[in-house]
Amino acid sequence: MDLEALNAMSLQLRRDVVEMVYRTKDGHPSPSFSVADIITALYFEVMNIDPSKPDMSDRDRFVLSKGHSCPVLYAALARRGYFPVDDLYTLRYLHSNLQGHPYAPKTKGLDATTGSLGNGVSIGLGMALAARIQRQTNRVYVITGDGELGEGMIWEAAMAASHQKAANLTVFIDNNNYQSGGTVSEVSGPYPIEDKWKAFGWHTQSIDGHDISQILSAVEKAKAETERPSAIICKTIKGNGVSFMVGENSWHKRVYTDEEYSIAMKELGGVV
Amino acid sequence: MSSVDSTRIGFRDALMHLAKERDDIVFVSTDSLKVVKGEPFLEAYPDRVIELGISEQNGVGVSSGLASSGLLPYICTYAGFLTMRACEQMRTFVSYPALKVRFVGANGGLHGGNREGVSHQFIEDVGILRTMPNFTILCPADGNQVYQAMLVSADVDGPVYIRIGSGREEKVFPDGTPFPLGKIRTLVDEGSDVALFCHGFITGRVIEAAKSLKEEGIGVKVVEVATIKPLDREGIVGILGETECAVTIEDHTIINGLGSAVAEVIAEGNPAYLVRLGLQDVYGESGFPDELLDAYGMSVQDIIEGAKKAIKQKKV
């Protein structure tokens, strides 16, 4: 997909999230928006996947460690053709294949069950090491939050991954500077983020997480590493794309009114 | 197969056996390779050992990733560091998606933790895991039974937990005795006055107690419940129907272990009198294995008295 199409897709995924949250009256919209461009780049350009063969053993894997951002991941899977777009409007309903947080056995195309924070890097490391043992060349991508870096298990995995020289593992840190209770600076103090990953032996890059060309370029640099796993610290904006969601942390988990829905859709280039 | 003289070696030797036969076996070590004298495995299969250092939550997460990619990971370390420290990882990332991860928990019970003291004596592991759907929970009696349990459980769907000890377990079963996956097994059948349900490394002393009871003219059965989950309800109901009273003996807290499992069967329409032996909602302390079992209500004499108490209740 070319850059223009990727940018259009990232807007489409955001509109899908607005539609899902508006219709089903639940879900996490702004954490979905901060990772929308990373997920677009991965699912529509970077990852070697085939929706007609969702269980292909040497496919690239994706782990959404910050599982609450799943509405945008579900949108990507639907738009990629794993299941009908209409399924998106069953989010969090009884018997839906789209659980409130990702549950791999129910959702076609989903590689990992996640939701409780701090676990995704370990799961991704397991997948990366499995590829090595199985002599496959596939790669594993993980997205963690910045607030999530407070979980000790992230650093257990960070230490083990560099010790294991898991160069096929790439972790994006969604540095939107917010967690549920406020800014990460106020609540948990994760900075300096890049220095921490570097100190743990990772190849690190800092980029604009809403610039898809920067994301693609960073992935190429990560792929060139032969010894070290890669951490890509992505400066992002929670709610990016909709003016009234930016800087308003209540959109971490909030439902659109009719008026908000219309404004959001218009700003995201949709027709209401 | 040569004689296996401890549960830890039983695990290691079975893993060697499995790795020889299939290429999906992986040993996940959280600096725990030495716990099971795993050096020969590392030497034979260096590419199938993943050393993660002391990080059990990470170890379970990595195991989840390995299993979701089609490998069969065995993660072995002290029982509580898995079932308590990494409890949530076992639940949400293995039990919930029903992944085939094998957990081998060392230092099960006071016998298993012995002189290490409470931080390394795990009396809650079975109880914690009983609450998790999809799990198979196995408590073999000795090294040979661990070996056999490993072999028969390799292809079981979903996660499996195998409880092992310190390496100081007495031999109960002759070499080569199969492990009765999913079924109870009657080890002593000398009448129907009382049933003694047990599992794990105290099985030998339960058999010893049964001998004394028989000598006193009491009709006794010893029934091994080595698969705690899924529980062989039908088998237990059959035994209770004959004896109408029972004693459970487990080196575990009496809360949510074997005693609770049998009590649940009894309460749900199969009335019988029950005495539960095990840790009576207390912690242990440092000591030698047999000395600890004697001190905490699991002596041969305690079992004999428990049996008599159960029979007496029945006759009242």
Side-chain angles (χ1 to χ4, degrees):
Chain A
M1 220 178 236
D2 64 27
L3 200 55
E4 196 180 336
L6 288 168
N7 283 323
M9 181 56 72
S10 80
L11 283 177
Q12 177 65 61
L13 299 188
R14 284 179 173 87
R15 289 198 297 275
D16 288 336
V17 171
V18 173
E19 192 73 43
M20 289 162 83
V21 172
Y22 176 66
R23 287 207 206 180
T24 66
K25 306 276 181 257
D26 204 0
H28 293 79
S30 67
S32 291
F33 284 19
S34 62
V35 299
D37 298 297
I38 306 167
I39 284 183
T40 301
L42 289 174
Y43 274 87
F44 294 89
E45 182 60 26
V46 171
M47 286 169 60
N48 174 33
I49 50 174
D50 180 351
S52 70
K53 292 182 218 157
D55 299 323
M56 186 170 73
S57 70
D58 62 348
R59 70 188 187 279
D60 288 341
R61 273 23 178 224
F62 174 68
V63 181
L64 184 62
S65 192
K66 44 173 309 196
H68 57 284
S69 293
C70 61
V72 74
L73 173 57
Y74 294 157
L77 292 172
R79 294 288 170 189
R80 196 71 171 76
Y82 284 96
F83 50 81
V85 170
D86 277 353
D87 284 9
L88 295 176
Y89 314 128
T90 66
L91 175 72
R92 293 178 169 234
Y93 285 163
L94 188 64
H95 305 316
S96 170
N97 59 337
L98 304 180
Q99 293 295 293
H101 291 83
Y103 178 50
K106 272 202 169 190
T107 308
K108 207 170 158 193
L110 192 61
D111 294 317
T113 297
T114 54
S116 98
L117 296 176
N119 292 276
V121 183
S122 295
I123 295 168
L125 174 59
M127 292 171 170
L129 295 174
R132 181 194 293 173
I133 291 167
Q134 293 161 327
R135 295 189 167 74
Q136 293 177 167
T137 55
N138 56 296
R139 302 187 61 84
V140 181
Y141 299 94
V142 178
I143 298 180
T144 72
D146 48 6
E148 186 178 1
L149 301 180
E151 294 283 3
M153 194 179 159
I154 293 272
W155 304 106
E156 292 184 9
M159 194 155 98
S162 71
H163 180 64
Q164 289 285 339
K165 299 184 167 48
N168 57 343
L169 176 65
T170 298
V171 173
F172 295 89
I173 294 97
D174 173 25
N175 185 198
N176 64 27
N177 201 42
Y178 277 97
Q179 54 194 106
S180 183
T183 66
V184 294
S185 308
E186 289 167 345
V187 179
S188 59
Y191 297 113
I193 294 174
E194 185 169 358
D195 289 352
K196 286 189 174 68
W197 290 88
K198 203 184 284 289
F200 274 80
W202 287 54
H203 172 254
T204 62
Q205 303 173 71
S206 282
I207 63 165
D208 176 350
H210 296 305
D211 182 337
I212 291 181
S213 65
Q214 285 192 35
I215 296 167
L216 297 178
S217 157
V219 166
E220 286 311 310
K221 284 179 191 153
K223 280 183 177 174
E225 278 293 311
T226 55
E227 296 268 307
R228 293 178 293 176
S230 277
I232 302 174
I233 294 92
C234 299
K235 195 75 208 157
T236 57
I237 297 166
K238 209 167 173 179
N240 175 271
V242 174
S243 56
F244 63 79
M245 291 169 67
V246 174
E248 177 48 67
N249 202 35
S250 63
W251 285 102
H252 180 77
K253 191 167 189 287
R254 180 168 156 184
V255 176
Y256 301 94
T257 62
D258 293 346
E259 191 190 350
E260 287 163 346
Y261 167 79
S262 298
I263 296 169
M265 282 305 214
K266 274 180 200 150
E267 289 189 14
L268 294 168
V271 179
V272 183
Chain B
M1 186 197 96
S2 59
S3 178
V4 178
D5 58 8
S6 90
T7 55
R8 292 187 180 189
I9 299 303
F11 160 67
R12 182 201 67 190
D13 287 359
L15 199 68
M16 296 281 283
H17 180 107
L18 289 166
K20 199 173 172 184
E21 291 190 335
R22 47 199 292 171
D23 57 12
D24 58 352
I25 304 292
V26 182
F27 180 80
V28 177
S29 169
T30 51
D31 195 13
S32 46
L33 190 79
K34 272 192 179 170
V35 168
V36 289
K37 296 186 170 63
E39 293 84 351
F41 186 88
L42 179 63
E43 206 169 301
Y45 305 102
D47 298 339
R48 310 249 209 114
V49 175
I50 294 175
E51 178 57 75
L52 296 169
I54 306 167
S55 61
E56 292 80 13
Q57 295 175 335
N58 179 45
V60 176
V62 166
S63 298
S64 167
L66 290 164
S68 75
S69 299
L71 294 174
L72 189 62
Y74 284 78
I75 178 166
C76 171
T77 185
Y78 294 118
F81 305 164
L82 291 171
T83 60
M84 289 186 276
R85 188 187 295 256
C87 180
E88 189 207 4
Q89 285 70 33
M90 292 180 78
R91 170 195 179 267
T92 305
F93 306 104
V94 179
S95 158
Y96 174 41
L99 290 172
K100 287 172 75 167
V101 176
R102 276 65 179 114
F103 299 91
V104 180
N107 283 24
L110 297 186
H111 190 284
N114 57 77
R115 302 189 76 191
E116 303 290 336
V118 172
S119 65
H120 287 61
Q121 288 167 343
F122 300 108
I123 58 168
E124 311 89 346
D125 52 338
V126 171
I128 291 166
L129 294 180
R130 261 202 346 123
T131 64
M132 295 191 194
N134 303 320
F135 249 99
T136 295
I137 305 171
L138 308 178
C139 298
D142 63 13
N144 273 286
Q145 286 297 285
V146 168
Y147 184 95
Q148 298 292 339
M150 285 278 294
L151 300 193
V152 294
S153 65
D155 285 314
V156 167
D157 280 338
V160 176
Y161 177 77
I162 301 176
R163 193 186 213 215
I164 64 172
S166 63
R168 298 180 183 84
E169 303 79 24
E170 70 169 312
K171 200 171 168 73
V172 179
F173 293 96
D175 292 344
T177 307
F179 180 83
L181 184 67
K183 295 286 174 200
I184 61 166
R185 171 164 57 188
T186 302
L187 304 179
V188 173
D189 195 358
E190 298 285 354
S192 298
D193 291 327
V194 65
L196 310 178
F197 290 104
C198 62
H199 65 58
F201 325 129
I202 55 170
T203 302
R205 57 176 61 208
V206 179
I207 293 171
E208 198 183 326
K211 281 181 190 156
S212 298
L213 288 164
K214 187 195 167 196
E215 279 166 17
E216 291 186 48
I218 293 171
V220 59
K221 292 182 197 302
V222 174
V223 180
E224 185 198 23
V225 190
T227 306
I228 295 292
K229 191 175 182 173
L231 192 67
D232 180 5
R233 288 180 67 91
E234 199 177 318
I236 291 170
V237 168
I239 298 287
L240 292 172
E242 286 184 58
T243 62
E244 296 174 350
C245 74
V247 183
T248 54
I249 308 103
E250 60 190 319
D251 186 1
H252 185 276
T253 169
I254 58 165
I255 297 169
N256 213 24
L258 174 64
S260 293
V262 172
E264 287 159 17
V265 173
I266 289 172
E268 290 171 344
N270 307 287
Y273 292 92
L274 178 66
V275 172
R276 292 184 294 162
L277 301 184
L279 275 296
Q280 305 291 318
D281 203 16
V282 293
Y283 290 111
E285 61 186 295
S286 291
F288 291 102
D290 285 315
E291 182 179 76
L292 280 165
L293 293 179
D294 288 347
Y296 282 84
M298 291 166 275
S299 69
V300 171
Q301 194 54 40
D302 289 323
I303 299 167
I304 292 168
E305 284 167 16
K308 289 178 180 172
K309 189 176 164 193
I311 294 166
K312 196 176 169 189
Q313 285 176 334
K314 179 168 69 166
K315 287 179 177 165
V316 170

